[in-house]
Amino acid sequence: MAARKRATSTTDTSTAKPVPTDSKIEHKTQEFADPPLAPPKSAFIFKLSLLLLAPYFYLLFCHYKIQHELKRSILINAALSLAGFFLTVKMIPVASRYVLRRNLFGYDINKKGTPQGTIKVPESLGIVVGIVFLVLAIIFQYFNFTADSNWLVEYNAALACICFMTLLGFVDDVLDVPWRVKLLLPSIAALPLLMAYAGHTTIVIPKPLIPYVGHDVLDLGWLYKLYMGLLAVFCTNSINIHAGINGLEVGQTVVIASAILIHNIMQIGASVDPEYQQAHGFSIYLTQPLLATSMALLSYNWYPSSVFVGDTYTYFAGMTMAVVGILGHFSETLLIFFLPQVINFLLSLPQLSGYVYCPRHRLPRFDPQTGLLTGTNDGTVVNVYLRIFGRKSEKSLCAHLLLVQVELKSNASCPERQLPLSLDAAMDQLINLIFGKT
Amino acid sequence: MAARKRALAATDTSTVKSVCTDTKTDHKPQETTDSPIAPPKSASIFKLSLLLIAPYFYLLFYHYKIQHDLKISILINAVLSLAGFFLTVKMIPVASRYVLRRNLFGYDINKKGTPQGTVKVPESLGIVVGIVFLVLAILFQYFNFTADSIWLVEYNAALACICFMTLLGFVDDVLDVPWRVKLLLPSIAALPLLMAYAGHTTIIIPKPLIPYVGHEILDLGWIYKLYMGLLVVFCTNSINIHAGINGLEVGQTVVIASAILIHNIMQIGASVDPEYQQAHAFSVYLTQPLLATSMALLSFNWYPSSVFVGDTYTYFAGMTMAVVGILGHFSETLLIFFLPQVINFLLSLPQLSGYVYCPRHRLPRFDPQTGLLTGTNDGTVVNVYLRIFGRKSEKSLCIHLLLVQAIGCCFCFLLRYLLAGWYK
C-alpha cells in the first residue's frame, strides 16, 4: 500500500487533529499563508515526453498506413489530451491550496531528518487528474465520428467504471477505509464493465496445450468475467503497493501507458480487421488522456515531490489500464507490461498474507547524512533492487526502477533483444542522459 | 446553499483545526466505541413509507393492467431497492465513525444554546447513499430482460452522470469549493447525458399558442440540450438552497421521488405505446433505489438529526431526478413537482445575485428558551413560511414544508388531469 498513510489519525479522535499522513516529517511551522507550490519540472517532462512519444508518433504517422477516419479520431483525441495536460498543470496548484487548507497532507518519510522532511506536502492530487480525465473522455464522445451504439455502451460503461473507482479512491483517501475493504472496492467499481461487456469470453489455447485440452478455442463464460474482475483488482492494488518513492506511482503509469499506446498502434497498423482496429482504437482514446494528465501530475510529483498522488490516483490509473486492456482485448499483453508489478506482488505475498510480519510501511531506510536509501528485508521490488544493486539516492532509484519497467516492456514487445550484460552500469549511463546528474 | 457550511475551516490553517462545520453546536463528547449516532427512527420511516408507497403499489398491482415483463422488471428493481434500504441503514453508523474520525462534522445551528447543540454531528453521509445507489443501479442491469442497446447506452450514461456528480459533490464537501465553481459542477457532470441523449429535441407547442408560433411541433436542436443542462444545474442547486432544517433535504427528495413514481406508473398504465412505457419504466428503475436509499438516510436525518447529508446528497439526489426527468421525457412535469424549489429560488434571487446583502447563512432565528424558530427577512421559503404562519418548532416546520411539497405534487396531478385535452 502507498507509503503515505495516516498513522496518527486513527489514534486521535477526541482532539481536533486532522489528517497528518505520517509518511513525511515536520518542518519549522510557518505561521503565514501556505507557501506556493514549487513550479512544475517542465524541462524534465518535456524530455520524457520526447523519449516516450517519439516512437509512438513515428509509428502513427510514418511507419504504418492507417485509415484516414481512424487517424483523424486519434489526432482529435491527442489534441484534447494535450489541452488536458495544460489544464491539469494549471489546476494542481489551485487544488493544492484547498487540499492543504483541509489538512489533507503528508510528510515525506524518505526525507526524514533533512529540512525537506518537514514540509507539508498536499495529498490526493490524483483527484485533479481523475476529474480532468473524465471531462476529456466525456467530451471526446462528441468527436468520435466512427461510433456505433455498441461502442457507446462500452465507452459509457468504461466511463462509469473509471468514475466510480475515482470516487471510491477519493473516499478512501479521505476516510481511510480498512485494507480488506480496499481489496473489495475495485471489484465493485468494475461491475459496469462486467455488465456491459458483450465481447468474446473465449480464449485461444496455446498450440502446445491443444492435445491436452482437446479444443483450440475454449469458451470460459462467466469464468472470463471473473478473470476480468480479478484483473481490475490486481491492476489497481499492484500499482498501490509498488510505491513509496517520489514519482514511482505516476512514473510507472506513464511508462506502461506509453507501452500500451505503442502496442495499440502496432496492432492497428498490422491488422486489416476493422473490429480489431476499433478495439485498439478504443484503447488509444482512453490511454492518450491518461498519459497526458499523468505527465502533468508527474511534473509536480517527480523528485522532489511537491504533491502526493494518494490512493485516488493509483486506483484511477489502475482501473483505466485494466479497462482498456479488457475492452481492447489485449489483457494478456497488459499483464506482461505489468511484470514488475507482478513480481512485486509475488515478493509481497508472504507479508501481505501475514505469514511474515508486515510493518506499517515497507519502505527502504533513509540515511539523512548520506541522503541514500538502503534496502530493508521487506519483500518489495524497491527493497530487493536496493539489496542487489547497493544503496542509491531516491531520485536515482526511481529512475532505475522506471528503466527496468521500460526494459522489460521492450523485451516483451521485441523478445529477440538482449538485456545488457552490465545492467547497472548501462542504466546509470542512460539515467545521466535523461534525468541529469542524480 | 446548505446551512452546514464550514465557516471555521477557511480561517484557521495554522493550527490543526480541521473540518469543524459551524452549523451545529457542541455536546458533551462521548467516548464510546459502538455506534456513535442514535439508532434510526424506524417507526417514523415505516409510517412514512406506508403513506407514500401505498398509492404507488395500488396503482402498480390493481388499478392498471401492466404488461407482465415490465411488471417483473419493476418488481425485481423494487426488491433490490429494499435490499439497498437495509444495507444503507446498516452502513450509515459505520461510515459515521470514519467520518467523525476524519473530523468531517458540524454542529446544529438550530439547537444552539441547548445541550443538543453541542453534539458533533457527522457530515456528508450522502456518500453512503450515493455508493449504495450506484451499486444497486449497476447490478440491476443484469436483471433487466427488456434491455436493448439504446437502453444500455442511456442507462450507462445516466450512471456515469450520477457517479460523476456524487464524486464532485463529495469533493465539494471535503474541499469546500467556491460557490461559482459549485454552479459549474453540475453542468460538467451532466455531459455524459447530453452526449448520449438520442431522443427528440422537439417540444409540443401548447394548443392555444399554435396560431402565434405557426407550428405544432418545434425542433429546438441544441437549445434543447442547453435546456437539459440548465435543468440539471437547477435541480441540484435548488435542493441545496431549500435546506437548513433537520430532514428537509432528504424529506423533499422522498416526497418528489414518490410523486415521480406515481406519475410514471400512471403514464405506463394509461399508455399503449411501448417506447413511451419504456421511457417511464427507465425512470422507475432509477427512482425506486433513490427512494429506498433516501428513506434509509431519512431514518437518521429526521428531527433530531443524527447525521447530516452534505452537498454530496443534495447534488446526487438533484442529478438523479434531473436524469430521470430527461430520459423519461417528463421534464416539464418534474419542474412542476419542483414548484416549492422554484419559488424558493425566485425568492432567493435578490440575495444570490448580490442585489440585497446575503449573509453566510439564511436560517431562521432559534430561541433556546422556547425552542421555536422565527422567520428572518431572508428570502427563502423557510423564512417566508415562518413570517406568514408564525413561530414554529423545527420538527413542526419541516413537516409543514413537506406537506406543502406533497400538496404541490397533488396540485400537479390535478393540473395535468384538467389540462389534458387543453394544451397537448
Side-chain angles (χ1 to χ4, degrees), chain A residues 46-60:
Chain A
F46 186 64
K47 281 185 288 184
L48 186 65
S49 345
L50 280 182
L51 183 76
L52 293 173
L53 294 176
Y56 172 64
F57 281 128
Y58 164 70
L59 291 171
L60 174 60

Side-chain angles (χ1 to χ4, degrees), chain A residues 286-308:
Chain A
L286 291 178
T287 312
Q288 280 183 153
L290 173 68
L291 183 60
T293 49
S294 300
M295 289 281 219
L297 184 59
L298 189 61
S299 69
Y300 289 96
N301 184 248
W302 184 250
Y303 183 94
S305 291
S306 315
V307 303
F308 289 147

Side-chain angles (χ1 to χ4, degrees), chain A residues 86-100:
Chain A
F86 289 114
L87 180 63
T88 312
V89 170
K90 191 115 205 296
M91 292 307 297
I92 286 178
V94 174
S96 300
R97 267 204 306 277
Y98 283 91
V99 159
L100 277 176

Side-chain angles (χ1 to χ4, degrees), chain B residues 362-364 374-376 378-388:
Chain B
R362 300 187 295 150
L363 292 178
T374 316
T376 63
D378 291 307
T380 59
V381 168
V382 171
N383 282 307
V384 167
Y385 194 88
L386 283 172
R387 296 215 304 271
I388 293 176

Side-chain angles (χ1 to χ4, degrees), chain A residues 6 9 13-14 16-19 31 98 102-103 135 138 142 149 153 163-164 170 174-175 178 188 191 195, chain B residues 6 9 14 16-19 31 98 101-103 135 138 142 149 153 163-164 170 174-175 178 188 191-192 195:
Chain A
R6 306 169 193 90
S9 57
T13 49
S14 47
K17 204 167 199 151
V19 187
E31 295 302 310
Y98 283 91
R102 307 295 288 176
N103 293 314
V135 172
I138 292 167
Y142 186 70
S149 67
V153 176
C163 186
F164 202 12
F170 190 63
V174 173
L175 300 184
I188 300 175
L191 286 174
M195 294 296 158
Chain B
R6 306 169 193 87
S14 48
V16 286
K17 202 160 201 160
S18 62
V19 186
E31 300 289 8
Y98 283 90
R101 192 164 58 183
R102 306 295 288 177
N103 293 313
V135 172
I138 292 167
Y142 186 68
S149 70
V153 177
C163 187
F164 203 11
F170 190 64
V174 172
L175 299 185
I188 299 175
L191 287 174
M195 294 295 159

Side-chain angles (χ1 to χ4, degrees), chain A residues 6 9-20 30-34 95 98-105 120 127 130-131 134-135 138-139 141-142 149-150 152-153 156-157 159-160 163-168 170-171 173-178 188-189 191-192 195-196, chain B residues 6 9-21 31 95 97-105 120 127 130-132 134-135 138-139 141-142 149-150 152-153 156-157 159-160 163-168 170-171 173-178 188-189 191-193 195-196:
Chain A
R6 306 169 193 90
S9 57
T10 49
T11 54
D12 216 341
T13 49
S14 47
T15 68
K17 204 167 199 151
V19 187
Q30 294 158 346
E31 295 302 310
F32 43 83
D34 299 310
Y98 283 91
V99 159
L100 277 176
R101 193 166 57 183
R102 307 295 288 176
N103 293 314
L104 267 168
F105 62 82
K120 285 186 194 175
I127 190 64
I131 292 177
L134 286 166
V135 172
I138 292 167
I139 293 177
Q141 283 181 94
Y142 186 70
S149 67
N150 218 18
L152 277 173
V153 176
N156 277 290
L159 287 185
C163 186
F164 202 12
M165 192 75 245
T166 309
L167 172 66
L168 294 175
F170 190 63
V171 169
D173 266 341
V174 173
L175 300 184
D176 207 4
V177 302
I188 300 175
L191 286 174
M195 294 296 158
Chain B
R6 306 169 193 87
T11 54
D12 215 343
T13 51
S14 48
T15 67
V16 286
K17 202 160 201 160
S18 62
V19 186
C20 308
T21 56
E31 300 289 8
R97 263 204 305 276
Y98 283 90
V99 158
L100 279 175
R101 192 164 58 183
R102 306 295 288 177
N103 293 313
L104 267 167
F105 61 83
K120 284 187 193 175
I127 189 66
I131 292 177
V132 174
L134 286 167
V135 172
I138 292 167
L139 289 176
Q141 283 180 93
Y142 186 68
S149 70
I150 292 184
L152 276 173
V153 177
N156 277 289
L159 287 186
C163 187
F164 203 11
M165 192 76 247
T166 310
L167 172 66
L168 294 176
F170 190 64
V171 169
D173 267 341
V174 172
L175 299 185
D176 207 5
V177 301
I188 299 175
L191 287 174
L193 193 61
M195 294 295 159

